Each structure stands twice: as C-alpha cells, then as structure tokens.
Amino acid sequence: MCTENPTHPITSFEQTYWRQLREKPPSQQIRCPTIVLSEDCPPACRTASESSRMNRATAKHLIERYFRQLTEGCGNGNCTNEFCASCRDFRPLDSNSAAAKALELFKINAKLCDYYPSFKSSADGNSLLDSTMSDKDTNDDFSDVHYLTENNICMILNFCEEEGDYSALVRVIGRVFSNAEALMKSFKKDEPNATENSCKPTDVEKQNDQTLEKMGAASAATLPDDALSDALSTCEVAVDIQAVRRVYDRLLSIDQVEASLVNALIYLTPNVELDLEYLDVYEANPDYLNIFIIVMENSNLHSPEYLEVALPQFCKAMSKLPVTALARLSKLWSMYGLPHIRRMMETFQQLITFTVVSNEYDAENLVNDDETVVAATQCLKIVFYASILAGDVDVEHNEEDEEDTDSDELTLHELLGEERLYKKGPRVDPLEKELGIRTVDSIHPVIPFEDFVNESLNDVVEMDKDFTFFKVNAETKFSFQSCPFILSVITKNQGLYYDNRIRMYSERRLTALYSMVQGQQPNPYLKLKVRRDHIIDDALVRLEMISMENPSDLKKQLFVEFEGEQGVDEGGVSKEFFQLVLEEIFNPDIGMFTYDDETKLFWFNSSSLENEAQYTLIGIVLGLAIYNNCILDVHFPMVVYRKLMGKKGTYLDLSDSHPVLYQSLKGLLEYTGNVKEDMMLTFQISHTDLFGNPVLYDLKDQGDQIPVTIENRQEFVDLYVDYILNTSVERQFRAFKKGFLMVTNESPLKYLFRPEEVELLICGSRKLDFEALEKTTEYDGGYSKDSQIIKDFWETIHSFGEEQKRFFLQFTTGTDRAPVGGLGKLKMIIAKNGSDTDRLPTSHTCFNALLLPEYSTKEKLRERLLKAITYAKGFGML
C-alpha cells in the first residue's frame, strides 16, 4: 500500500477502512466517498471523474485527521473532546481500533480538534510552522497564551522590544493564527483592554479610528431604520474590530511577524475549508466567522507574499461558508466605511487579476476551472453587496410582479428533456435573497458598480462555454454570469446573445416538429409583412394576433418584409422596420407620449385616448429589439427602465424625467419659511390633459381641505411623485410592460443587467467615436486602408457634422446609434463597387457593408456620399 509516510502506522488503518467499507450496505457507503489508496484497490472503487478523485482525497484526509486525533491527540493539554487522545478522560486505542473509530467519527461528522503544532515535538523539522517558529528557544516562550487579545499582544511586544528579539512574538502569532479554535477566541469584545503602558494608540491612530467610526456610522445611517436594526442584530459579532486594527498596525511593521502570518494562514486555511465543507462547524458555532473577520482586517493581504498561496487558499475557505454566514459578513462589512470596503474589494480584484495574467486560458483550459479565480469572485460578491448596503438603497418601492399562470400540461421542452434550458421566472441569487436586497434596489452604492468589473477576466472568459454552465450545469460548473457584477456590459451582452439565439433555434425546431405532426407548412420565423404607409396598423394587427394566439412565436427570429420591395431581411430590414414604427408611434400628433423640449425625452401621456394595445405594441417592439440584437432610437428617462426592472418611480427619478417639477418640489422641501402661509398649497394638484384642459386630482381624501405644512410636506411630495410617475400612467405602463415581458419573460435580462445597462442594450451608446470605427473597419474588393479613395473617405467622414455622421451611420448600419461597447465594436466593411462613376454609394445594412465606387476626386466622393446618406430610403435588390 502507498502512504506518504511509511513509518506512520497507517497501513492497518487502510486495511481496516477497506474491510469495513466492503461490509457496509450501499446506502451507507454513499455517506463516505470511496478513497483510491493504491493500484491494488478493487476496480469498482475507481472512477474517471476528477471531482470524484478530489472527494476521495478529501475524505481520506479527514479520516486521517480523525486517526491522528485518536492516536496522537491535538496537543491541547486542556482538550475536552472525548474523541481526542489529548483529553484526560480518553482511553488509548490500538491502531486497528483507532482506524475503525476514525471511519465511524467521519460518518457522523464528529467534532474534530484543531491541531496545536507548537505543543508537539518538532524533532523532524519538516513542519513549515516549526521552521518559522523555532528560531530561538527562550524561557519566555509564552506557551500559556492560547488566544490573542490586544493586551497580551502588547505585553509580548514590549518584552520582545526590550530583548531586541521578536522570536517569541513570532511563535505566538504563528501558533494562534494557524489554529482555528484559538483564532476564533481571539480579540473578544469582553476581554480587558490594553493597559496604558502596553499598546496605547498614537494620536494619529486615534484620529483614524474616530474617522473610520464616523464613516461607518454614516454608511449605516443610510439604511432604513428597520433594516439597520436588523443588520445590527443579525451580524453582531464578538470581535473587537478596532483592537484588531490597532494590533495589525503594530504587527505589520515587523518583517518576521509578516512571514509568520503568511505561513500560519497557509497552514490554517486547508483545515478550515475541510471543516466548513464536511463538519458544519459554522452551524455548530457561529463564532467561527470570527476567523474570517480577523484575517480580513490584515491590510497587507494584497501584497505578493499572500497572493501566491495564502490568499487563494483563504478565499477557497471563505467560499465554503454557508449563505447565512456570508450575509452576516456582508452586513458587517457594510458598516465599516468606504476605505475598508474599498480595500477588501481591491484585495480580491488584485488576486483575480494576478491569477488571470499569470496563466493562459483557452477553450480547453477555461478560467471557470481556476479555483482561485472562482473563489475570489465569490468573495468579491460579499463586498459587492456590502457596498450596496452601505450606500443609499430603496427596498420598498417595488412594482407588482406579473403573475405567470403555470399549466399542468407538459410542454414540448419538458418532453424533450430541455426544461433546464428554458426555466421560467427570474433567477434569484441565494445571497441576495438572504440579505433581502437586490442590485436594482441600490440608488448609490459606496463603490461605483463599474469598479467591480474586472477587465482582465472579461478578456479571457469564454462566453459560449460560460453560458452553457449558467443554463445547464449550474450545479456542477461555475458560471461568471452567476456573479454578473464582475462582467462588463459587453460580455454580458454576449451571454444574452447566446441565450436569445439558442431560444430562436429551439423555437424553429419545435415549429418543424409541430408541422410534421400536424401536416402543415412549417413557419420557423416571426414574419411581418407591412406597408410603409400603414406600418402601425399592419404591425399592430399582426403582433396582436400572435400575442393572443401563440405568444411563443414572438421568440422566433424576426423576419420583416415591406410590401412591394425586394429587400431580403438579414437584419437591415428589421432595423428599418423598428425605426419607422418608433417614428410613427412617438409622433406627438398621436398623443401616446408627451415630449419635453428641455430634456429631449418622452413620457407616457396619462390622458391618451389610445387603447392599451398600442402601448403593448411598444413594449413588444422594445423586447423584440433586445431579442433580435437591434438598436432603437428611443428617448425614455431612466425611470422607465427602472420600472421595467421592478421598481416604482420615486422623488429622485424626477430629476431627469420631470426636471422642472423636481426643482419645485426640492424647493418646497428645503424652504425655511412658513410653508402653510407662504406656499398656500393643498393636497389637491392639477395638470393639463391632452387638449390643454386642467385636471384636478386629490392626493388624499378631501385633499383640497388639507393644507401643506412643514410637518406634512414630505408626505405631499411622496404622494405627488407617486401620482406623476406611477398612478397616473398605471394603465399605459402596465400594457407597455406586458408587451415587453411577452418577449423577455424567460430571458436572464433581469438577472444580468441593471436599468442603465438595459437602456444601453436598447438604445446603444450615444457617443460616436469615428476614430475607433476607422481602426476596426475592414476592406474588400481591392481596397485597403492605404488606398487613396479610403484616405479621402475617412477625411470626408471626420469633416462631417454630428447630424451628417448620424445620417451616415443610419445609411450604412440601419441605425444612428453605436452598439454596446461603442463604434469600435461595429464591424463595418467598405467594398469596392466599380471604377469612377456617377452612381451613388449603396449599402447592405444587414452586414454593415458600404459599397463605394472608386471616385476620381475627393470632391466628387463627398458630393455623392452626402446625396446618398441624405435621401436614402427603401430597399431593393442589387
């Protein structure tokens, strides 16, 4: 048999283990993963799965720990564990009995003591900790220090400074920081404070502590009262955080102690990881969280000494914490203040970046399989939610979710075994659920969302594989889409693209199956045949029929045909369709929306005479645009996208949707005079309808009899805002949202994207960087970037004004907006279309291709190009 240490009496343990394992029924064997110890093991014990081998190795390691505990003990002279040889009441066992007992203890998750290496003989000299802690033997080795306090640390520090030797401090730090139980008991709040002569903080340290406490209090004060009290009660810990920080300030300035901390963390974390994964230590003792609280106060965790081994192992252990513990950590850290939250965020980000740039990833070696990157990302999630909790949040103003009526009938997806790919309803992050807060609830996090995006990671993640893990193998494979905060909107858009395309192909397949069964002609596309002069009527009738008869058809790939035109829709015709529909429906003469000349934004007309079907059409159009990867020229305020994501409009949303009203209400809230007499306002408001007639509305019963005073003005503002942004447009917006959800209800859109990112998906970027477009443009038909006509072309484009540049984009791509990521992400092609001629340039908007004749002069090029982009309309066959 093969063992790591031939002198260790492990052979009898292995023999007993295999004998007892074979005697157990299969139901009990599942509880204890099989361990392949040598080539002599039975073939049935072997498996090709890497995860199985890891599980067996882990189980073997745990059982060996039980065996050592039964034969050698933990080294703690005061141990009270009845299953430990160090306990005074323990009866010694021979090797065979200890091996059998170890297997039994493993199966019942019995208590496993922490090992006290400093108490054991270190004659072999092989221990990493022994080599760190045995530099010098002194009579004052402080072996009676079993946990740390600010007082005993400072006492040892004073002794070491007097002796001019820090070896005693190094041994104590290494002993405690390598032992989970000892570290868990350290720095308790109820311990006596340091004496004045030992570890008294300097004036600068005092000032820093006071500043941090104020910042933490300010961060916590932003929470609602009930959420704050709940956070204080559920995340209450026994660790004296300020004492830990003062101790670290002293210790980290000593090089020998820094090395001891690194080595101790390397020794500690594998055992902590096993304890959390297999022994449920946190459930037995919630103070186990103290270990992570204390270690994370080390401000040097981002340094190279930790990045190689110690911090990766620590992150793996932290990722094994149950979700209740992660929530406690997040709530606790949210009260630390910005400097500490940012330091922890940068620590995990630096580990991710360091690991990514130090390795090479490809389609075979995925970053998803890198345990360090995965664990650091999961730890970063804790900081992400701490940043949200520490900032301004709104957990109250939520739109009512649309109820889905689930049918008892099996769908074809379920019959085909594909139900996992097409789960209904939004995903819910377990930590988000435990905290009772969502990303969309955040108004202003203390750390901007953009700072959590890791560009190095985004460069190497394979989104096609990551999408598969996200949709199908979520239980066994990690997907970065489960932590969308770390992904850029460009990367997440790729994931959404794969989701949409897979769904389109699935609908096409299902249509083929249905047509074969029913003997009908297959219709794999969402086909719309419309007339330019009656585009709203034609589109509305067709989409309304589809939404009533078979809503799943909306998830087919869109195919638009203009009556009387020859254009084949490869994407460009759809873009034209969307543009014409929006131009028609946002026409002020129709009265569906009101337009603000100052903000250049549209808002729902509360007194519109149009029926709800028109608003449902707009929602469907927006959903189809996202689903078919088209960009729309839509000008909505951000509150529309927040409402689509499940939030109601609030006072802060007025700043961009109704800026004049916002300033008026702000003035009312800040007014220092006599509100009742000077303002003469009541809880009855008025606004104008579609025809300019005044409409009165009581915010409360008999509102005209209730004056606005300094005491009730906040209530007045809240009711006023709720009426303008929610109540007055409830009918119109409900229909609009219904149409949007008809297309996106099964999409991960709500889970992956924030409201501002949804706007970017629908509307594209408003910034037009033609320099970036020039760098990424490709050439065909004999043209190259060095051709004279191409040089003249780009000089002409750069000389255009803003409106002319938008006309050019519209002519070439079908939209005047840049895609997500800017014009640099737009793959435009310029192809040669004959020699000098009087013909105008043409384009294939489906493929972003410009067909450009080789004009003889720059002036002729400019004149022909301007005429083409100014008067272009309609499609034909070339």
Side-chain angles (χ1 to χ4, degrees), residues 400-683:
E400 293 183 5
D401 292 332
E402 298 288 333
E403 294 185 1
D404 293 330
T405 55
D406 295 330
S407 173
D408 293 333
E409 297 181 4
L410 286 175
T411 65
L412 191 53
H413 287 309
E414 293 169 333
L415 291 173
L416 295 174
E418 299 175 344
E419 67 276 6
R420 284 186 300 172
L421 273 173
Y422 307 100
K423 296 175 183 175
K424 289 188 177 181
R427 286 172 172 261
V428 178
D429 186 273
L431 181 55
E432 191 174 81
K433 183 178 181 180
E434 182 70 23
L435 289 169
I437 193 169
R438 302 168 299 167
T439 303
V440 73
D441 294 331
S442 176
I443 300 173
H444 295 295
V446 293
I447 299 177
F449 289 122
E450 294 75 15
D451 291 0
F452 285 92
V453 176
N454 190 293
E455 294 297 342
S456 299
L457 175 64
N458 280 265
D459 291 339
V460 298
V461 64
E462 300 281 344
M463 283 308 292
D464 54 341
K465 304 287 177 57
D466 193 88
F467 166 78
T468 303
F469 302 155
F470 182 65
K471 296 293 287 189
V472 181
N473 300 327
E475 294 81 6
T476 57
K477 282 284 194 177
F478 177 81
S479 166
F480 288 99
Q481 290 182 80
S482 65
C483 298
F485 58 85
I486 203 171
L487 301 176
S488 67
V489 65
I490 301 171
T491 306
K492 288 187 286 189
N493 191 36
Q494 292 176 357
L496 184 65
Y497 174 81
Y498 287 122
D499 185 84
N500 294 338
R501 290 295 162 180
I502 292 295
R503 205 173 296 276
M504 287 178 185
Y505 296 149
S506 174
E507 291 296 336
R508 194 179 303 174
R509 219 172 97 223
L510 294 180
T511 300
L513 288 173
Y514 280 129
S515 62
M516 290 173 59
V517 172
Q518 298 174 357
Q520 298 177 353
Q521 185 72 18
N523 184 20
Y525 298 100
L526 172 59
K527 287 189 176 181
L528 296 179
K529 187 172 183 178
V530 296
R531 297 166 293 174
R532 282 186 179 269
D533 296 338
H534 300 82
I535 190 166
I536 291 296
D537 294 335
D538 294 348
L540 179 62
V541 170
R542 178 70 177 132
L543 290 175
E544 195 170 16
M545 289 178 58
I546 292 173
S547 64
M548 289 189 300
E549 296 176 1
N550 193 6
S552 63
D553 280 0
L554 295 173
K555 297 180 177 64
K556 295 178 179 178
Q557 185 174 351
L558 181 63
F559 189 93
V560 178
E561 178 183 351
F562 284 104
E563 191 174 280
E565 299 181 20
Q566 297 175 306
V568 177
D569 191 5
E570 293 289 344
V573 181
S574 296
K575 296 177 185 177
E576 176 86 352
F577 164 76
F578 284 127
Q579 180 189 356
L580 293 176
V581 167
L582 293 176
E583 286 179 358
E584 185 75 21
I585 216 154
F586 282 101
N587 188 333
D589 294 338
I590 294 182
M592 291 183 64
F593 296 90
T594 59
Y595 181 72
D596 190 312
D597 292 322
E598 180 182 347
T599 62
K600 311 297 183 185
L601 299 174
F602 288 93
W603 182 247
F604 297 88
N605 189 342
S606 59
S607 56
S608 173
L609 301 179
E610 299 293 334
N611 59 33
E612 295 180 9
Q614 297 274 24
Y615 289 99
T616 302
L617 172 63
I618 292 297
I620 292 176
V621 167
L622 258 67
L624 287 175
I626 292 177
Y627 195 62
N628 290 271
N629 204 30
C630 289
I631 295 172
L632 304 181
D633 185 19
V634 177
H635 303 274
F636 279 134
M638 184 55 63
V639 64
V640 171
Y641 303 102
R642 282 175 51 80
K643 285 169 70 69
L644 283 175
M645 301 293 277
K647 299 299 294 184
K648 287 185 176 181
T650 61
Y651 168 68
L652 293 176
D653 294 314
L654 279 180
S655 59
D656 67 331
S657 64
H658 299 76
V660 175
L661 178 59
Y662 172 77
Q663 291 298 330
S664 298
L665 295 178
K666 183 180 179 182
L668 171 62
L669 292 174
E670 297 174 352
Y671 189 67
T672 57
N674 191 319
V675 173
K676 180 178 179 180
E677 295 182 1
D678 296 346
M679 298 289 188
M680 299 184 66
L681 296 172
T682 67
F683 275 73

Side-chain angles (χ1 to χ4, degrees), residues 71-113:
T71 55
E72 301 176 7
C74 66
N76 182 3
N78 298 319
C79 181
T80 58
N81 185 358
E82 61 178 321
F83 302 120
C84 178
S86 295
C87 179
R88 294 178 180 177
D89 300 329
F90 182 80
R91 297 180 61 182
L93 301 173
D94 58 37
S95 297
N96 288 334
S97 300
K101 189 67 174 178
L103 184 60
E104 179 183 338
L105 295 180
F106 170 75
K107 293 176 182 178
I108 64 173
N109 281 350
K111 180 181 179 180
L112 191 60
C113 294

